[in-house]
Amino acid sequence: MLVEALRAEQVEVIFGYPGGAILPVYDALYQCGIPHILTRHEQGAIHAAEGYARVTGRPGVVIATSGPGATNLVTGITDAMMDSLPLVIFTGQVATSVIGTDAFQEASVLGITMPITKHSYQVQDVNQLPAVIKEAFHIASTGRPGPVLIDLPKDIANASGKFDYAAPVRIPGYQPTVVPNALQIRKVAAALRAAKRPLILAGAGVLHARASDWLHQLIDTIQAPITNTLLGLGSFPGDHPLFLGMAGMHGTYAANMAIYECDLLLNIGARFDDRLTGNLQHFARHATVIHIDIDPAEIGKNVPTDIPVVGDAGEALRMLLNEDLTMGSIQDWVDHVQEMARSNPFWYAPDDERLKPQRLVEIVHEQCGGDAIVVTDVGQHQMWAAQYFPFRQPNRWVTSGGLGTMGFGLPAAIGAQIGRRDVPVFAIVGDGGFQMTMQELAVLVDYQIPVKVVLVNNRSLGMVRQWQELFYERRYSESLIPVQPDFVKLSEAFGIPAYVAKNEAEANAMIRRALETPGPVLVDCHVPSRENVYPMVPPGAGIHEMVGVKP
């Protein structure tokens, strides 16, 4: 029944790792026709499913066994919950007769994961299984997307029953508001018309709603400046003249000052997290705040909202475009923020001898002509990728935003490449995070997945080291990694070609060679250990109090 349900849901691929309690499911999957990717760790499986979900918009499917198999998924489930990614997760469980007896490989996965899933089930009757699976896919992919877990006791997985998948999903307590209130949309339009210094803030909710074209139409209509959150990058073309760049802790000066100075902030699909807002006392303090979000719990949670709009970002934008959006003159405001952007671009000190990580990201962008999916791990390299790779299309940017999960990058790149085999995928990873999940290199070889791994090797936990330098009097407690493995030999041991780049010329040559080489490639890029990410909003500071804006 499980296989039939997965077929009914048109599941394209499963990521997973077998074990004792889930063996009945794996036996059913044997030669079922649905491709299965055997990762080398359950954490790899769930991050791969996240990468797949991020670039396709479809639920990623994960299977793991009971006990440690299930608990190894916990980080990825939390990551997906924080970043609103649709996953359907099947975990094995000990037989119903021994649940609660501390049986071998038993863990209360329902109890462990309840706060980090959108919903969770433990199937007690095999005849419930089709309805549970159908509900799980529905819940995971509607409203605000998120992970849904189905715990399968072994005796239930071994049982058989009648497969009936025809009944529609009816969940009285779960009715997401998709279409916004028309009166609220009219209020938004009126506020826009009255604004002198409007600013649009677009988050990942625009991407989840596949509403980038509508967002572009809105900006074309009102000619207001726009900024993105970290996860919203790509929802609007990064090279558009009205785009101010990413806002937040490591965003652009222009974007952050525009938030500080605007008299109207229209937030579409972002959740006002603390890395975006900085000190809330100074965030958009002069502005009428409008918040459009599919999740009503997010509205007013962190930032007081003047005009709340609950609904799908795409529906809201379509309705808004049908209103009168004749704006007053805002040219002085636009000129002002564009001048701030021109005068305060991202900067770094070029170095002829050493490879600067910012230049490395630029080289990746140049070599692929901007036409690639970029997946990162977490840390300095993540911020440099966000700053220096101008994303022009939606769903080309995959990163761990909310949870900030080191080890995310490589397996997420595997899932992204499986989801989009027609687009080159770069996994830009740091040496710290890479060593958390580097065993997944085997998956690249096993399934001939042509991910190009760009290892930003600064022999340290770079962001930790940066914070220790700036805020802990340079006491580098356990953040430096002077002894590293030979990443080239390591990669070659997995059967993956690998190269080293230590300066700009070598980086250009090696990234080009990586693109020309079929299959996976790793480029070990040696960058200075003491390079910092600037500009930066210090902890506790307002968004307008950035440091490192100028060299």
Side-chain angles (χ1 to χ4, degrees):
M1 285 199 287
L2 187 147
V3 171
E4 288 303 317
L6 296 181
R7 286 177 177 148
E9 295 293 342
Q10 300 181 326
V11 171
E12 298 175 324
V13 62
I14 298 167
F15 304 92
Y17 202 100
I22 201 70
L23 277 181
V25 170
Y26 269 86
D27 190 60
L29 291 174
Y30 188 64
Q31 295 182 334
C32 76
I34 303 174
H36 179 282
I37 303 297
L38 175 64
T39 56
R40 298 315 190 250
H41 192 285
E42 288 87 353
Q43 185 183 1
I46 196 154
H47 291 327
E50 287 185 273
Y52 173 85
R54 174 67 275 175
V55 302
T56 65
R58 297 170 56 82
V61 177
V62 183
I63 300 179
T65 193
S66 64
T71 56
N72 281 343
L73 298 175
V74 167
T75 298
I77 296 173
T78 314
D79 195 274
M81 188 70 175
M82 293 282 279
D83 287 354
S84 306
L85 294 174
L87 301 182
V88 176
I89 305 142
F90 296 90
T91 50
Q93 184 54 276
V94 299
T96 53
S97 60
V98 293
I99 287 177
T101 67
D102 292 336
F104 177 67
Q105 291 193 331
E106 181 188 4
S108 176
V109 65
L110 237 60
I112 292 169
T113 62
M114 190 170 291
I116 55 171
T117 52
K118 191 174 175 184
H119 195 64
S120 54
Y121 300 86
Q122 187 176 71
V123 183
Q124 298 287 334
D125 179 345
V126 70
N127 292 308
Q128 298 173 344
L129 186 57
V132 165
I133 295 175
K134 195 166 188 174
E135 283 187 8
F137 275 89
H138 175 73
I139 293 171
S141 56
T142 56
R144 178 178 181 172
V148 178
L149 185 139
I150 302 173
D151 198 34
L152 289 170
K154 191 168 184 179
D155 55 321
I156 300 297
N158 265 321
S160 58
K162 183 181 178 182
F163 179 73
D164 182 0
Y165 216 67
V169 173
R170 288 196 178 90
I171 311 173
Y174 176 70
Q175 301 291 332
T177 299
V178 176
V179 179
N181 182 290
L183 177 60
Q184 293 302 94
I185 293 294
R186 284 197 286 276
K187 288 182 178 178
V188 175
L192 278 171
R193 290 194 300 269
K196 304 295 185 188
R197 301 188 304 276
L199 178 69
I200 310 302
L201 170 68
V206 174
L207 297 168
H208 294 309
R210 298 174 183 273
S212 295
D213 289 345
W214 297 108
L215 177 63
H216 205 157
Q217 283 193 36
L218 176 68
I219 299 301
D220 285 346
T221 301
I222 65 176
Q223 291 293 303
I226 178 172
T227 182
N228 273 150
T229 64
L230 173 69
L231 290 178
L233 289 172
S235 63
F236 190 78
D239 54 356
H240 193 284
L242 288 169
F243 183 62
L244 301 179
M246 177 181 72
M249 178 176 281
H250 293 291
T252 67
Y253 176 79
N256 284 0
M257 289 305 296
I259 290 175
Y260 183 69
E261 295 179 3
C262 69
D263 68 353
L264 179 142
L265 181 64
L266 171 52
N267 172 358
I268 308 171
R271 61 185 176 87
F272 285 136
D273 76 283
D274 60 317
R275 272 209 158 188
L276 169 74
T277 63
N279 188 325
L280 284 167
Q281 290 184 346
H282 304 288
F283 184 80
R285 64 176 188 168
H286 310 292
T288 296
V289 175
I290 303 168
H291 192 171
I292 298 172
D293 205 295
I294 190 80
D295 185 351
E298 289 297 338
I299 296 177
K301 186 177 78 174
N302 297 328
V303 173
T305 302
D306 299 292
I307 305 177
V309 179
V310 178
D312 175 83
E315 294 289 340
L317 284 165
R318 280 192 287 272
M319 291 172 67
L320 188 57
L321 285 164
N322 286 328
E323 298 292 326
D324 177 10
L325 293 176
T326 306
M327 303 286 288
S329 175
I330 60 171
Q331 193 56 50
D332 288 348
W333 166 244
V334 173
D335 291 343
H336 172 61
V337 296
Q338 287 181 327
E339 176 55 31
M340 285 196 291
R342 278 191 296 271
S343 303
N344 303 280
F346 291 130
W347 63 271
Y348 62 90
D351 190 322
D352 292 335
E353 302 297 325
R354 300 181 300 173
L355 176 59
K356 287 301 186 82
Q358 302 92 334
R359 179 64 191 137
L360 173 62
V361 174
E362 291 175 337
I363 289 171
V364 171
H365 178 260
E366 290 162 7
Q367 291 286 348
C368 69
D371 186 19
I373 292 171
V374 173
V375 185
T376 74
D377 216 276
V378 167
Q380 287 182 311
H381 69 277
Q382 177 191 30
M383 293 301 130
W384 285 317
Q387 291 177 335
Y388 288 90
F389 196 106
F391 296 93
R392 300 191 186 94
Q393 301 176 60
N395 300 327
R396 296 296 181 94
W397 169 240
V398 182
T399 197
S400 171
L403 194 62
T405 303
M406 289 179 67
F408 173 88
L410 176 59
I414 291 170
Q417 186 73 87
I418 289 171
R420 289 295 307 271
R421 291 190 179 272
D422 58 323
V423 182
V425 172
F426 282 92
I428 300 180
V429 297
D431 49 299
F434 178 63
Q435 291 185 71
M436 289 186 173
T437 52
M438 63 185 178
Q439 75 279 356
E440 304 303 340
L441 286 174
V443 179
L444 296 180
V445 179
D446 199 0
Y447 298 93
Q448 277 303 292
I449 300 168
V451 169
K452 313 305 180 187
V453 181
V454 178
L455 178 60
V456 185
N457 185 353
N458 58 8
R459 298 162 297 287
S460 66
L461 305 178
M463 195 62 88
V464 176
R465 187 207 57 73
Q466 175 171 337
W467 277 57
Q468 289 172 335
E469 176 185 325
L470 298 178
F471 310 119
Y472 294 89
E473 300 177 351
R474 302 187 178 188
R475 292 194 295 274
Y476 300 121
S477 179
E478 305 299 331
S479 61
L480 307 181
I481 315 175
V483 178
Q484 294 278 35
D486 185 326
F487 289 110
V488 171
K489 289 182 178 177
L490 178 83
S491 182
E492 290 173 344
F494 281 98
I496 297 174
Y499 314 109
V500 173
K502 296 182 179 178
N503 55 44
E504 180 178 339
E506 290 177 353
N508 259 310
M510 294 306 112
I511 298 297
R512 188 183 314 118
R513 183 183 294 183
L515 280 168
E516 293 170 351
T517 303
V521 176
L522 183 144
V523 183
D524 181 9
C525 302
H526 295 197
V527 302
S529 299
R530 300 303 173 93
E531 193 73 17
N532 286 339
V533 181
Y534 287 122
M536 176 182 187
V537 178
I543 197 169
H544 63 301
E545 299 172 306
M546 302 189 82
V547 297
V549 176
K550 297 286 189 182

